[in-house]
Amino acid sequence: MADDDAMALVQLGEVLCGIDVPPEDRDGVAMHLANSLRLADMIGDGAAENAPVFRP
Amino acid sequence: MSVDASSLGTATGTAQEVAAAVAAGRVTASEVIAATIERIARRNPALNAFTQVLSDRASAKAREVDAAIASGRSVGPLAGVPFAVKNLFDLEGVVTRAGSRINRDDPLARADAVVVRRLEAAGAVCVGALNMGEYAYDFTGENAHDGPCRNPHDTTRMAGGSSSGSGSAVAARLVPLALGSDTNGSIRVPAAFCGVFGLKPTYGRLPRTGTFPFVDSLDHVGPLACSTRDLTLAYDAMQGHDADDPVCADRPAEPVGTDAPALRVARLGGYFVGQGEAATDAAAERAAAALGACETVVLERAAEARAAAYVITNVEGAALHRTRLETRRADFDPAVRDRLLAGLLIPGVHYVRAQRLRRSFAQDAARLFARFDVLVAPATPFPAPAIGQQTVMIDGQEVMLRPNIGIYTQPISFIGLPVVVVPVPGEGLPLGVQLIGPPWREDLVLAAAAQLEAAGVARTPEPA
């Protein structure tokens, strides 16, 4: 995800999630969000179960 | 013959030796604790490992142990052994900081954490609370409020996190035993950077009741020490179901035996090779060879597992702290705050997909454990970085430091496997190696660690 997209997502998230990201935090939050979403894109389908409950 | 209490719990004093000396009456618990308090006062200013020293509490508990011995009562296998805990464990009458500024406004804890109670029931004596990364969201040991915890082998270096004080205090021989927590590597990273032994048990093995949480799906607690035997003593004392932690498995304690089983060992290849400095791979190779490993195997989808652990951590951590992010924003470490705010914005579908991967990835691991008892991998991709360091060179490329410290630990805790990190000294700073076992088989990884210790491959180096 491009940084611009991450910044746009931060702005959208402020509305959808009802949070307020102060201007001085936006670059840092966008960077971390972009990293998390890049990693999330790596996750495959995994098991077909619906219940996200794990026991060793 | 009496024993000099000041030597117990220092370079030659393991928890096992302290307990034996106290139980035999060669030294009193009160003498051990007084020497420990003096040692902490002398050495902690250079390390910043302790955030609170509980002299009165420890002295009172030591007197109880001495009184029990004097009256012929049983005192337990850890009689008079000093220990300390990461400051997210509740200690009665103490604020549970969890490395934060915000929690200092919380009321005093009304009871000890369950594992603290169990260690003290075995005769151990808690002497204080230890530095840690804010809310455990950290691999460096750099705390914005309490200051960085320092590595005893080079005080310009990181102790590792988030159980930074636990690694530093044990490595410096301030205490022979400490407790930490591990969500993505927070016992294993400081154990590796500081050159001590650390046990992350199976997810659900030890109760977390009375600890400040981070990521409920991934949080574990466990001990750090200077020997396998000390890890085992502490682990056995803490085992057992506790209904107040819904994750804690309802299974009986399974004490670790003293047998030396023949172990089937393999080196983990693929993802677990070549992502860091060559010395870390060499340390894992040395450990694997000493354990008779004759095969390298691949745990498929480890990179996916690491990514999923990252996402789960980000989302659950953010959910835990949402109210604080709204009401106490300025009191967070800005670096932690940015990560948590990002976690609030991750679409839910990513979290569910990350959780779903756990079971199938565990099945991948189970196929390897059908053939092997222990898998060997580096604990960290490099030894302890300098305090304040932001980037690191890997394979000739400069990469961000913080996101890469846990690349070898995160896929393993993602499926809750038991791991012992052993220190494998080489040239320079300590290096750690993960010995990974199947679920509920802490006995196997502890046996592997003991074999490496007996062979002289694993040992805790003397602090500088």
Side-chain angles (χ1 to χ4, degrees):
Chain A
M1 171 175 283
D3 288 350
D4 285 352
D5 292 343
M7 187 63 82
L9 192 57
V10 168
Q11 291 165 348
L12 179 62
E14 286 185 282
V15 176
L16 293 179
C17 305
I19 63 164
D20 175 26
V21 179
E24 64 272 21
D25 281 346
R26 289 195 178 182
D27 284 347
V29 172
M31 182 188 75
H32 289 297
L33 181 59
N35 188 45
S36 287
L37 294 176
R38 179 183 61 78
L39 289 166
D41 281 342
M42 293 172 58
I43 302 168
D45 284 338
E49 304 151 56
N50 268 326
V53 174
F54 173 78
R55 291 287 180 270
Chain B
M1 185 181 75
S2 67
V3 172
D4 177 3
S6 65
S7 73
L8 292 171
T10 62
T12 57
T14 65
Q16 184 184 21
E17 290 165 343
V18 171
V22 169
R26 297 198 301 273
V27 66
T28 66
S30 295
E31 289 170 329
V32 170
I33 295 307
T36 301
I37 300 294
E38 185 278 326
R39 194 163 56 244
I40 294 168
R42 185 160 35 86
R43 297 218 48 205
N44 189 59
L47 298 171
N48 199 25
F50 276 81
T51 50
Q52 287 143 299
V53 179
L54 306 173
S55 305
D56 291 345
R57 169 188 165 128
S59 299
K61 172 66 182 172
R63 286 194 296 273
E64 286 179 23
V65 173
D66 290 334
I69 290 171
S71 63
R73 282 179 280 140
S74 171
V75 286
L78 291 168
V81 172
F83 74 101
V85 299
K86 184 177 187 175
N87 68 29
L88 58 65
F89 288 81
D90 284 351
L91 296 171
E92 184 180 359
V94 175
V95 170
T96 306
R97 293 187 190 185
S100 72
R101 179 191 299 276
I102 295 167
N103 282 33
R104 293 179 199 200
D105 296 337
D106 285 356
L108 305 178
R110 293 195 293 184
D112 292 341
V114 165
V115 288
V116 171
R117 290 208 300 269
R118 289 180 179 177
L119 285 180
E120 291 208 325
V125 179
C126 183
V127 298
L130 297 161
N131 204 348
M132 60 174 283
E134 185 178 57
Y135 289 129
Y137 208 169
D138 167 64
F139 278 134
T140 67
E142 296 180 314
N143 184 296
H145 315 296
D146 290 310
C149 181
R150 296 178 182 276
N151 192 312
H153 299 285
D154 177 347
T155 54
T156 69
R157 299 276 172 170
M158 295 175 179
S162 62
S163 307
S164 51
S166 308
S168 179
V170 171
R173 271 64 163 188
L174 301 185
V175 284
L177 182 65
L179 295 185
S181 66
D182 189 315
T183 302
N184 284 294
S186 286
I187 288 173
R188 291 164 288 163
V189 168
F193 283 178
C194 292
V196 301
F197 293 76
L199 170 64
K200 185 206 76 62
T202 307
Y203 178 69
R205 171 70 88 175
L206 297 182
R208 307 166 305 176
T209 315
T211 65
F212 194 86
F214 175 25
V215 178
D216 190 56
S217 294
L218 301 171
D219 287 344
H220 308 65
V221 297
L224 298 91
C226 286
S227 73
T228 309
R229 185 65 193 142
D230 284 0
L231 281 187
T232 305
L233 283 170
Y235 167 64
D236 278 348
M238 292 188 286
Q239 283 194 55
H241 178 58
D242 180 67
D244 290 331
D245 177 359
V247 166
C248 189
D250 188 4
R251 51 194 296 142
E254 298 168 286
V256 176
T258 54
D259 296 344
L263 297 170
R264 302 168 298 162
V265 179
R267 165 79 161 97
L268 271 182
Y271 174 90
F272 293 92
V273 176
Q275 293 207 64
E277 292 186 14
T280 61
D281 288 334
E285 292 293 343
R286 199 155 63 247
L291 290 169
C294 53
E295 194 173 338
T296 297
V297 297
V298 174
L299 180 54
E300 302 287 353
R301 300 194 290 175
E304 269 185 70
R306 185 258 173 170
Y310 196 101
V311 170
I312 291 169
T313 300
N314 208 186
V315 172
E316 287 197 32
L320 177 69
H321 291 292
R322 176 173 179 143
T323 301
R324 293 180 193 86
L325 288 165
E326 291 172 344
T327 60
R328 300 289 299 269
R329 177 174 291 153
D331 292 326
F332 278 90
D333 174 345
V336 174
R337 182 178 65 223
D338 285 357
R339 269 177 281 158
L340 292 173
L341 285 168
L344 288 176
L345 305 179
I346 295 174
V349 66
H350 291 312
Y351 175 82
V352 174
R353 283 162 61 88
Q355 284 285 9
R356 283 182 180 174
L357 181 64
R358 298 177 82 183
R359 197 168 299 182
S360 61
F361 185 60
Q363 288 165 353
D364 291 347
R367 281 190 278 277
L368 293 180
F369 287 120
R371 296 170 54 213
F372 300 101
D373 301 309
V374 175
L375 304 173
V376 180
T380 59
F382 33 74
I387 289 171
Q389 189 174 328
Q390 297 295 319
T391 61
V392 65
M393 296 297 291
I394 295 179
D395 244 357
Q397 289 197 319
E398 188 175 28
V399 297
M400 293 299 293
L401 175 75
R402 286 171 183 257
N404 285 292
I405 297 176
I407 56 172
Y408 289 146
T409 53
Q410 285 171 297
I412 307 304
S413 34
F414 178 62
I415 49 173
L417 301 175
V419 187
V420 170
V421 162
V422 295
V424 177
E427 293 180 6
L429 292 164
L431 296 167
V433 172
Q434 294 185 97
L435 307 173
I436 305 156
W440 314 112
R441 294 308 304 271
E442 286 82 357
D443 58 320
L444 296 177
V445 289
L446 287 163
Q451 289 181 23
L452 288 175
E453 211 177 346
V457 174
R459 66 177 171 79
T460 301
E462 297 298 323

